Amino acid sequence: MNFVMDSHIALVGLPGSGKSTIGRYLARRWSVPFVDVDVAIEEQIQCSIREFFAKEGEDRFREVEQDVLAQLLKKPEKMVIATGGGAVLKPENRAQLARHSLVVYLSASPHEIARRLQKDTQRPLLQVGNPLQRLQELHGIRDPLYKEVADFVVAGSGLSATQVAQRVAMQLELGASR
């Protein structure tokens, strides 16, 4: 494999779109580090995101998320980064992503994601009576922002994580060989 990353690869998309799974696959394929922004945040705040949300609220969480993302994007060693689903909400994050990474939007339908996350109890924004409705609301708000910042959009509905990861890898490797 001759693919050489000349910038960070950042994955964006709704919660449950496969950012962490696809990110780990890509990092292994290209022998580069993988960082899940949510895990990096939890290491910094020393509690779960769910607990932090309950104590501090979403606004404070978004501030921490912005700081952690900026720190990662400024690192010289190229890596694959799985952003949090809401990272694109802050214009500063979109600008940093566009400036310091190649951005891939993992697009999946709210119905598909709701099916994937039926038993999830960790994502604070989805701990509601009707997770599908919430995902549809999030999609309506965030989809234009994901598209705004994306260099590539890869549709994942109806595909396995491996199939999506292979599509992303192919898109990036073909794009880099031009």
Side-chain angles (χ1 to χ4, degrees), residues 93-110:
N93 289 346
R94 294 194 304 277
Q96 291 290 323
L97 285 164
R99 187 174 306 119
H100 299 290
S101 67
L102 192 62
V103 181
V104 178
Y105 171 22
L106 300 178
S107 174
S109 75

Side-chain angles (χ1 to χ4, degrees), residues 113-133:
I113 293 172
R115 184 186 56 74
R116 288 181 197 166
L117 298 179
Q118 282 177 342
K119 295 179 176 35
D120 183 272
T121 60
Q122 297 307 307
R123 299 165 207 266
L125 291 177
L126 299 181
Q127 305 312 305
V128 295
N130 187 340
L132 173 58
Q133 181 180 352

Side-chain angles (χ1 to χ4, degrees), residues 147-161:
K147 287 177 178 170
E148 173 190 318
V149 76
D151 295 294
F152 295 97
V153 178
V154 177
S157 291
L159 301 175
S160 72

